[in-house]
Amino acid sequence: MQDQIINIPSQYKAIASATRQLDFNMASDLYTGSLLKTLVASKPGARILELGTGSGLATSWIAGGMHKDAVLVTVENNEVLLSVAKENLKNNRIQFVLEDGYTWLKEYKGEKFDLIFADAMPGKYDLFEEAFSLLKTGGFYIIDDMLPQPNWPDGHAERVKAFIDHLESRNDMVLTKLNWSTGIIIAVKIATGI
Ligand SMILES: C[S@@+](CC[C@H](N)C(=O)[O-])C[C@H]1O[C@@H](n2cnc3c(N)ncnc32)[C@H](O)[C@@H]1O
């Protein structure tokens, strides 16, 4: 088996080009994108939440896996990056939210989600409980960049380890850690006590 990515979204090339021009170096990679598309496709009618749209690279993969009755809410606080995503992913089932993720997580009162891709500090290292409370039982909580990355600031490795230890200590999720891509964790929310 070749570790080769196929079926790259049609919008990906244009988004990647705009992303390079902006010198944005936190983009999700192709493997993460492909995995997201696959998991999203497992959920007809899904409500999906992405925290940290960036320029929309992962968003393009998520959109590619969405059934026609699925919806995506994607939150980003950088207007320039979000505009790249919006311009390239014209889809009325995607709600692009220009807002601080901390504020959004504290104030969101809508329906829960079937899959959350938490790719910003809020919803991952901060306000994890708030984000996880928005996930339905049986829903996927996905994070990447769990293996050392060149752009990690000092002290981040310790934060990553503490976060993984915390996830592994919980009884309301089952998870698998993948030493693949940038280091991915796939967690599924379960009712406690099953
Ligand atoms: C790792 S990048 C996301 C990459 C993106 N998923 C992709 O496919 O390229 C994290 C993103 O979170 C955004 N971000 C950082 N702090 C945020 C906050 N407080 N609220 C919302 N977005 C935030 C950054 O601007 C950045 O675009």
Side-chain angles (χ1 to χ4, degrees), residues 26-44:
M26 295 191 291
S28 301
D29 74 3
L30 291 173
Y31 299 101
T32 303
S34 178
L35 177 68
L36 285 168
K37 179 177 176 179
T38 303
L39 296 178
V40 166
S42 77
K43 302 248 180 210

Side-chain angles (χ1 to χ4, degrees), residues 28-87:
S28 301
D29 74 3
L30 291 173
Y31 299 101
T32 303
S34 178
L35 177 68
L36 285 168
K37 179 177 176 179
T38 303
L39 296 178
V40 166
S42 77
K43 302 248 180 210
R47 291 182 50 75
I48 302 150
L49 171 64
E50 179 181 40
L51 294 165
T53 318
S55 56
L57 289 166
T59 320
S60 70
W61 284 99
I62 292 170
M66 283 165 62
H67 291 248
K68 61 180 186 312
D69 53 355
V71 292
L72 166 65
V73 177
T74 183
V75 182
E76 169 64 50
N77 69 351
N78 181 315
E79 189 169 9
V80 175
L81 289 171
L82 193 69
S83 70
V84 173
K86 276 169 93 167
E87 280 162 23

Side-chain angles (χ1 to χ4, degrees), residues 163-180:
F163 186 49
I164 295 171
D165 288 347
H166 171 71
L167 296 181
E168 292 187 314
S169 74
R170 297 179 70 106
N171 65 357
D172 57 355
M173 64 171 71
V174 292
L175 64 81
T176 291
K177 296 175 289 182
L178 301 177
N179 279 313
W180 174 79

Side-chain angles (χ1 to χ4, degrees), residues 85-98:
K86 276 169 93 167
E87 280 162 23
N88 286 281
L89 298 167
K90 296 194 190 307
N91 180 336
N92 59 15
R93 290 173 293 126
I94 304 178
Q95 184 189 348
F96 294 96
V97 180
L98 177 62

